[in-house]
Amino acid sequence: MRRSPLPRPARGLVRRLARGLVGRLVGRLVGHELTLWRGLGRWVGRRGPDGVGEGDTAAPYAPAQSAMMYGLLFVAVAETAVLAVVIPWPWLHVPVLVFDLWGCWYVLALHASCVVRPHVLGADGSLRLRYGPLLDVTVPASRIARLRADRAFPDARLGAVTASGTADLPVGGMTTLTVELTEPLAFTRPLGSSAEARAFRFHAENAAEVARAWRRVREAGEAVGQGTAPEPPHPQAPQPIRSGIASTEAAARPKKSVSRENGSRAHSWDAVESRPGG
């Protein structure tokens, strides 16, 4: 029997590490499956987006991939039907059928989870970036230096970090928003590995609206922090009542004229003729 070149303590450490890695990977895959089931149920029940509270702004990204996902679903269903006819061995029909049906379910459930789990701009200025059950990154408001609409077409996998420290979350090969951070942020990739990024590029159908909403939240927070809220107006001193009444009476006073019945002479209250020698 050939012995391992590693000493016994090292062999035990390697086995424990392998079991830990496999255990985390299996646990993460199981968590993905449960999230897929919840997302599919929420999508079928039309219960609306998950994790979007009052005052939050949802940033959907699923429409950019709808055509591709439904195309994959059609291909998966066609493959299931073709393989059921082409395979000549009956003992292979059942496992292949099970695997193909699971593939059809996975494509539909993944798209449904993306629909009901959009990106979220919180009312406090925080940002939650998601992609179905595979990715969930929370960026605190204090870490965000700038959020701008910026269309790009990165050729990268989901959650891949470039040499400049930018993590890409493309949908349909495209991103429309870029968030720059004040310091690196650690996050978990789809398969469980850790990474750090100083910026995130992600896709949202309403990129301009999200950018404007973030600017409003930031400006409101700065105004409150600097104490620049507008002061209530000072009450004006009341005007004298007598002068007001007098001016009103003067304006409303009619001009009076008295005329004699024969019409020879007329006297007016506005002008008084002076008599000579009087």
Side-chain angles (χ1 to χ4, degrees), residues 15-266:
R15 284 196 296 267
R16 287 194 298 271
L17 290 175
R19 286 197 297 266
L21 291 175
V22 172
R24 285 197 296 269
L25 180 59
V26 171
R28 192 164 184 83
L29 292 176
V30 171
H32 287 173
E33 294 289 329
L34 295 177
T35 306
L36 287 172
W37 279 109
R38 288 196 298 267
L40 183 60
R42 194 177 189 92
W43 181 64
V44 173
R46 298 181 178 274
R47 297 168 55 190
D50 181 28
V52 181
E54 184 178 358
D56 298 343
T57 302
Y61 53 87
Q65 66 178 13
S66 296
M68 180 186 66
M69 298 300 286
Y70 287 126
L72 289 175
L73 180 61
F74 174 79
V75 171
V77 173
E79 180 188 8
T80 302
V82 170
L83 290 180
V85 176
V86 171
I87 295 179
W89 305 284
W91 57 270
L92 194 57
H93 283 173
V94 173
V96 171
L97 179 62
V98 171
F99 181 77
D100 287 341
L101 290 178
W102 176 85
C104 298
W105 168 85
Y106 182 83
V107 172
L108 183 61
L110 178 61
H111 182 59
S113 296
C114 292
V115 172
V116 301
R117 291 170 61 86
H119 305 308
V120 181
L121 175 65
D124 59 347
S126 61
L127 189 63
R128 189 178 181 186
L129 306 176
R130 299 185 287 186
Y131 184 80
L134 303 179
L135 194 69
D136 194 342
V137 182
T138 299
V139 184
S142 59
R143 295 279 193 95
I144 300 178
R146 185 184 179 189
L147 177 64
R148 69 181 188 276
D150 181 21
R151 187 179 299 272
F153 300 90
D155 185 14
R157 301 186 309 273
L158 181 68
V161 182
T162 63
S164 60
T166 300
D168 291 321
L169 281 66
V171 177
M174 177 177 58
T175 62
T176 55
L177 283 166
T178 299
V179 55
E180 300 174 0
L181 309 181
T182 57
E183 57 182 299
L185 178 69
F187 68 98
T188 303
R189 289 176 174 173
L191 293 180
S193 60
S194 299
E196 283 189 351
R198 298 190 62 91
F200 289 88
R201 292 190 298 188
F202 59 100
H203 176 73
E205 294 292 315
N206 54 344
E209 178 186 352
V210 173
R212 287 194 300 267
W214 178 80
R215 285 195 295 268
R216 287 195 299 268
V217 173
R218 175 58 62 92
E219 292 172 358
E222 291 177 352
V224 172
Q226 297 175 1
T228 57
E231 298 180 357
H234 297 287
Q236 298 181 356
Q239 297 180 356
I241 299 177
R242 178 174 299 178
S243 62
I245 296 178
S247 61
T248 303
E249 290 180 353
R253 181 181 300 167
K255 295 181 180 181
K256 299 180 180 180
S257 61
V258 179
S259 60
R260 294 187 177 184
E261 293 180 357
N262 56 7
S264 61
R265 299 181 61 185

